[in-house]
Amino acid sequence: MDGKLEGRAQGAELSVLQGQEGPLEATGEDGLWESFQLLQMDVDSGEHQDGEGLPTGGTAWYSKNVQRKQRHWEKIVAAKKSKRKQEKERRKASRAENPGICPQHSKRFLRALTKEKLLEAKHSGPRLCVDLSMTHHMTKKELSRLAGQIRRLYGSNRKADRPFWIYLTGFTIDSPLYKECLRMNDGFSTYLLDITEEDCFSLFPLETLVYLTPDSEHALEEIDLNKVYILGGLVDESIQKNVTFQKAWEHSVKTARLPIQEYMVRCQNEKNYHSEILAINQVFDVLSTYFETHNWPEALKKGVSSGKGYVLRNSLE
C-alpha cells in the first residue's frame, strides 16, 4: 500500500511541475491532493505577479532569481552581438573609404610592422634626443607630468608613418624619473628607443647637435637627417628662462626654435595668456608632422594648442 501511494504521489508531482492539466489519478489521500493544489496555486500566483508563464514543452521550472539572471545574461549576449555587428559595419565602411589599407592584418602583424619601421628609423631616420639631465631639481608632480609626456611622445612616434629614433640621455635607471616612468607607462622597459646615462653633448659630435629652445633667435627651417635635435626634459612648473639656451651655449651647440612667430599670431583670450613654451610631446608632434608633410602651418596647428594664445595667420583673414 505504501509503495503504491508513493508512486502515485510522484506521478502527481510530475504532472504539476510540467504544467499539465487534467484530473489526477485517484490517490485516496485528501491531504496529498490538497498539498498539490496549494503548490499549483503558488506557481500560478508567481506567474501573475511576474507576468511570465511557466516554461512549456516539458522544460523545468526555475526560480525568480534564476530567471532574472537568465534575462540579464541574454541582454549581455544581445549587446555583444549588436556591438560585433556595428564593428563589422564600421570596418566595411572603412575599407570602402580606404581601399589601399588591408584591414585583415592581425595585431601581431601590425606590431611587427611598427617595430620594423622604428628599427629602420634607427639606421636611416631623423634622430631626436630628450635631455633628461636636468630632472634632479624637479618635484614629484613635475616628474609625473614629464613621464606622461614621454609616454605620449613615444606613442605619437609609434603611429607615425616616418618615425624618429629617440634617445633618452642623462637618464639613470635608479633615478626617481625612471621609477615614475615604470609606474605610469605600461611596457616602458620594452620601449624601442635608446636609454643612456651619457649626456647628449658627449654622445654625439657637437657639430651635429641642434638644441630646440624657445629662447633661440633662429627659427627652424628644415629637418636635416644629419642632425640630432635635442629637447630639454623640463615641464612648465620647472622652466626657467634661458636654461636650455644657456646649456647649449656652454657647449657651443647650435640652437633653434619652432617657427611660431613666422606662421602664427597672438589671439585675444580671457586670460591674456601667450606662450611659446610647449611640452616635449607637443614639440615632437610639430616636428613629426612637418617631417611627413613639409608644411609648417599644418605642423604647428598639430602641436600648438589654442590654449597657448596663438593661431595661424590665415585663420584671421
Side-chain angles (χ1 to χ4, degrees):
M1 181 65 179
D2 293 339
K4 292 181 178 181
L5 287 175
E6 183 178 357
R8 290 173 179 175
Q10 291 176 350
E13 181 180 1
L14 180 60
S15 298
V16 172
L17 293 179
Q18 290 180 344
Q20 296 176 351
E21 298 180 356
L24 293 172
E25 295 181 13
T27 63
E29 297 290 333
D30 294 337
L32 184 59
W33 168 245
E34 291 175 359
S35 298
F36 285 132
Q37 281 186 320
L38 292 174
L39 177 60
Q40 182 67 45
M41 289 172 63
D42 289 340
V43 172
D44 291 341
S45 176
E47 289 180 16
H48 293 303
Q49 290 176 2
D50 291 347
E52 298 176 355
L54 289 173
T56 59
T59 58
W61 176 80
Y62 298 102
S63 68
K64 295 178 183 178
N65 189 40
V66 172
Q67 293 180 41
R68 184 167 56 251
K69 290 182 178 179
Q70 179 68 21
R71 290 194 299 270
H72 178 66
W73 174 249
E74 289 173 354
K75 289 180 181 179
I76 293 177
V77 172
K80 288 184 177 180
K81 288 182 178 179
S82 177
K83 186 176 181 180
R84 285 196 295 268
K85 183 178 179 180
Q86 292 176 2
E87 180 64 20
K88 185 177 180 180
E89 293 175 352
R90 186 193 64 80
R91 289 197 299 266
K92 184 177 180 180
S94 179
R95 287 196 297 269
E97 294 176 0
N98 305 283
I101 298 178
C102 300
Q104 68 272 17
H105 293 321
S106 65
K107 291 183 178 180
R108 178 179 296 180
F109 176 84
L110 294 176
R111 285 196 296 267
L113 184 62
T114 298
K115 182 178 180 180
E116 182 180 346
K117 289 194 300 182
L118 289 172
L119 293 178
E120 183 180 350
K122 184 175 184 178
H123 300 289
S124 58
R127 294 170 291 174
L128 181 79
C129 172
V130 181
D131 181 9
L132 300 174
S133 63
M134 300 172 284
T135 60
H136 48 282
H137 293 306
M138 289 176 139
T139 65
K140 178 69 178 297
K141 179 182 177 182
E142 292 168 347
L143 291 176
S144 295
R145 290 192 60 185
L146 181 56
Q149 292 175 15
I150 292 173
R151 179 186 67 247
R152 289 188 286 273
L153 187 156
Y154 181 74
S156 295
N157 195 46
R158 289 184 75 252
K159 296 175 183 178
D161 292 333
R162 304 175 66 189
F164 284 60
W165 183 251
I166 299 171
Y167 300 84
L168 303 181
T169 62
F171 197 25
T172 57
I173 59 175
D174 60 347
S175 65
L177 176 60
Y178 190 88
K179 296 176 182 178
E180 194 67 9
C181 286
L182 288 176
R183 184 184 71 85
M184 293 185 60
N185 306 342
D186 293 338
F188 176 75
S189 59
T190 61
Y191 279 9
L192 285 175
L193 45 72
D194 279 337
I195 295 177
T196 176
E197 297 182 4
E198 286 189 72
D199 192 277
C200 56
F201 302 108
S202 59
L203 187 63
F204 307 102
L206 296 179
E207 63 272 13
T208 65
L209 299 179
V210 178
Y211 212 119
L212 298 177
T213 168
D215 302 310
S216 177
E217 296 179 355
H218 308 288
L220 184 65
E221 297 179 357
E222 292 291 338
I223 294 179
D224 188 345
L225 293 177
N226 296 317
K227 300 292 184 181
V228 180
Y229 297 93
I230 306 172
L231 302 180
L234 296 169
V235 295
D236 292 347
E237 288 89 342
S238 62
I239 289 179
Q240 299 177 15
K241 192 171 178 61
N242 293 320
V243 171
T244 51
F245 179 82
Q246 182 68 24
K247 192 171 184 180
W249 181 81
E250 290 174 355
H251 291 84
S252 301
V253 167
K254 293 180 180 179
T255 63
R257 57 174 172 78
L258 296 179
I260 295 177
Q261 300 173 13
E262 284 70 20
Y263 294 94
M264 307 187 82
V265 294
R266 293 188 176 189
C267 62
Q268 293 182 353
N269 54 68
E270 295 180 357
K271 297 182 180 180
N272 194 28
Y273 173 77
H274 304 87
S275 176
E276 296 183 37
I277 299 174
L278 307 179
I280 59 172
N281 59 291
Q282 293 173 325
V283 177
F284 176 77
D285 287 342
V286 173
L287 296 176
S288 178
T289 304
Y290 177 77
F291 186 61
E292 293 183 2
T293 64
H294 294 282
N295 185 311
W296 277 119
E298 182 176 344
L300 292 168
K301 184 179 180 181
K302 177 76 173 180
V304 182
S305 65
S306 58
K308 292 296 180 179
Y310 283 88
V311 295
L312 294 173
R313 290 182 184 277
N314 56 11
S315 65
L316 298 178
E317 295 177 356

